[in-house]
Amino acid sequence: MTTQLERKLIEMFIDESRIATDKRPWFGQLPEGLTNDFSFAVMGDRCGMMTAGVFEKGLELLQDLRPDFVLFVGDLVEGYWKDAAKACEEWEYIDAKIAATSLPFFQTIGNHDYGTQAMVDVWRERKGMDYYAFRIGDSLFLTLNTEDPFDAMPDEFIDVVKRSTEKVHQEPERTMEYMKEFYDEIISLLTPEQQQGMNHVNVGISAQQLAFFEKVLTENADAKHTFVSMHKPGWKAESVEFARLEELLADRPYTVFAGHFHSLEYSQQDNRTYIQLGRTGAAAHGTGRADDNLILWVTVRSGSVSYRVMHLDGVTDVAAYPPHSHEQKEG
């Protein structure tokens, strides 16, 4: 279950009983010599209905800033393909972009990444594990799959997603218009009962997955802070599995990162912190500052954790500021 890396302070944990493969859902390795003091970035949803180039801009920024590693909270591709070749085509593009940064990059499964049987099969073929954990010094990291098992979407819904996604790709300046059109069309396909449950968050965490994390937590009870990455925010779901995970976390300090809703939210309660990431390329679900494209920067120093938000839309190349003449003003 445990793969020892270069230094004893760093460990990776995988469920070898799940899938026998040497493929892994992360890029690179954690830096040698990493200790209890480190920094990492957390990126939000790239999809659905992404604006081309935004996520790539985020990767370029992180190449300059050089965090020790990057966490991603899911929905890296538009997905929902029933054709495996189309799914592979999407993955080939974005995987190459991530690999080119040479940054350790840890993926979390989102519903777009895992939303059809073809997407599940391609993920397992390319990336192997769908959940895992690792430890750096006194910090423990759990990466959950909240699509376990995945919730199959009816074909007519997938068709609406695909049509709307294509429109946004073609005319990103009309994203909000197309998002409303998408929402209205989805509503028209739902029964009144289904409409009432639209805001319900469905989180899937299998018994096998939960047993794996119970074992990891038991074996790492001395960790001083635990970070949990998941796509759908479990604290917003009526999920007995997520409730059980929080029971296992008990009174240890922990932070849960999630995505899915494309809008940044932060809350804290006793020993726990919940952060719903905003988007890093996906379509906006609102017009406030929390709906901007952004990256979260996390610093761990001497057991203390701090969070800073970097609004990506405000990051500009210096070449955008050419010189101009300054008139002398009396005064």
Side-chain angles (χ1 to χ4, degrees):
M1 178 178 172
T2 303
T3 302
Q4 196 75 21
L5 297 187
E6 294 291 329
R7 295 181 63 87
K8 198 170 183 178
L9 280 171
I10 300 174
E11 292 181 284
M12 300 296 300
F13 307 99
I14 60 172
D15 187 353
E16 293 178 335
S17 69
R18 179 78 169 202
I19 303 171
T21 177
D22 60 354
K23 301 294 180 62
R24 299 290 182 262
W26 59 80
F27 293 81
Q29 292 187 337
L30 292 165
E32 294 183 15
L34 207 57
T35 64
N36 285 316
D37 293 347
F38 54 89
S39 296
F40 62 95
V42 190
M43 302 182 80
D45 299 33
R46 173 178 177 258
C47 299
M49 304 184 192
M50 61 101 182
T51 299
V54 174
F55 186 81
E56 293 86 338
K57 178 182 176 181
L59 290 178
E60 290 174 2
L61 176 63
L62 293 180
Q63 274 188 287
D64 290 340
L65 297 179
R66 306 303 300 180
D68 291 304
F69 57 95
V70 181
L71 301 183
F72 180 73
V73 297
D75 282 358
L76 196 51
V77 294
E78 297 288 10
Y80 284 112
W81 296 108
K82 290 174 280 186
D83 181 347
K86 290 288 189 181
C88 287
E89 184 179 330
E90 272 203 281
W91 282 117
E92 288 289 348
Y93 169 79
I94 197 59
D95 282 352
K97 291 292 184 182
I98 295 168
T101 67
S102 298
L103 292 169
F105 188 99
F106 294 89
Q107 295 173 249
T108 304
I109 285 175
N111 52 293
H112 283 257
D113 309 319
Y114 218 68
T116 66
Q117 188 58 54
M119 297 300 297
V120 172
D121 293 342
V122 168
W123 176 282
R124 290 180 175 176
E125 178 185 345
R126 296 178 65 91
K127 303 172 184 295
M129 305 293 110
D130 53 319
Y131 54 84
Y132 56 96
F134 59 94
R135 179 166 178 164
I136 303 170
D138 292 330
S139 298
L140 181 65
F141 292 79
L142 312 181
T143 305
L144 278 63
N145 176 8
T146 55
E147 307 299 314
D148 182 20
F150 77 93
D151 188 12
M153 186 183 292
D155 287 349
E156 58 183 343
F157 284 67
I158 291 178
D159 291 342
V160 175
V161 171
K162 288 298 183 187
R163 285 198 303 272
S164 298
T165 298
E166 184 60 27
K167 288 180 179 180
V168 169
H169 288 181
Q170 294 295 324
E171 298 180 283
E173 69 278 5
R174 298 178 65 183
T175 294
M176 295 304 291
E177 174 188 340
Y178 290 138
M179 284 292 294
K180 183 181 185 307
E181 182 181 288
F182 164 75
Y183 181 81
D184 290 344
E185 192 168 358
I186 289 293
I187 288 289
S188 72
L189 296 173
L190 298 175
T191 65
E193 293 76 16
Q194 290 172 323
Q195 290 178 23
Q196 289 181 351
M198 270 197 69
N199 293 326
H200 180 72
V201 180
N202 293 312
V203 169
I205 305 172
S206 69
Q208 184 177 0
Q209 183 179 171
L210 193 59
F212 167 77
F213 287 117
E214 182 171 2
K215 189 173 191 300
V216 169
L217 287 167
T218 299
E219 293 176 350
N220 293 272
D222 62 324
K224 292 183 179 177
H225 199 99
T226 300
F227 297 93
V228 180
S229 296
M230 60 195 311
H231 182 61
K232 292 177 180 174
W235 65 92
K236 293 184 174 182
E238 296 177 1
S239 167
V240 295
E241 293 80 13
F242 182 73
R244 174 57 181 157
L245 180 68
E246 292 207 294
E247 286 179 6
L248 296 170
L249 287 162
D251 58 355
R252 68 174 79 195
Y254 64 93
T255 301
V256 186
F257 301 118
H260 192 56
F261 288 113
H262 304 188
S263 187
L264 180 63
E265 294 180 3
Y266 170 89
S267 60
Q268 192 171 32
Q269 178 183 344
D270 300 325
N271 61 312
R272 63 196 68 177
T273 299
Y274 301 115
I275 301 178
Q276 177 182 285
L277 265 292
R279 62 194 178 107
T280 314
H285 287 185
T287 58
R289 189 159 168 77
D291 304 295
D292 288 352
N293 287 297
L294 52 84
I295 295 172
L296 185 71
W297 188 272
V298 186
T299 303
V300 180
R301 293 285 184 271
S302 303
S304 177
V305 184
S306 63
Y307 309 95
R308 297 290 182 268
V309 180
M310 300 188 297
H311 286 259
L312 194 56
D313 297 328
V315 177
T316 310
D317 190 280
V318 70
Y321 302 87
H324 61 276
S325 60
H326 296 272
E327 297 180 4
Q328 184 69 33
K329 294 183 178 180
E330 296 182 5

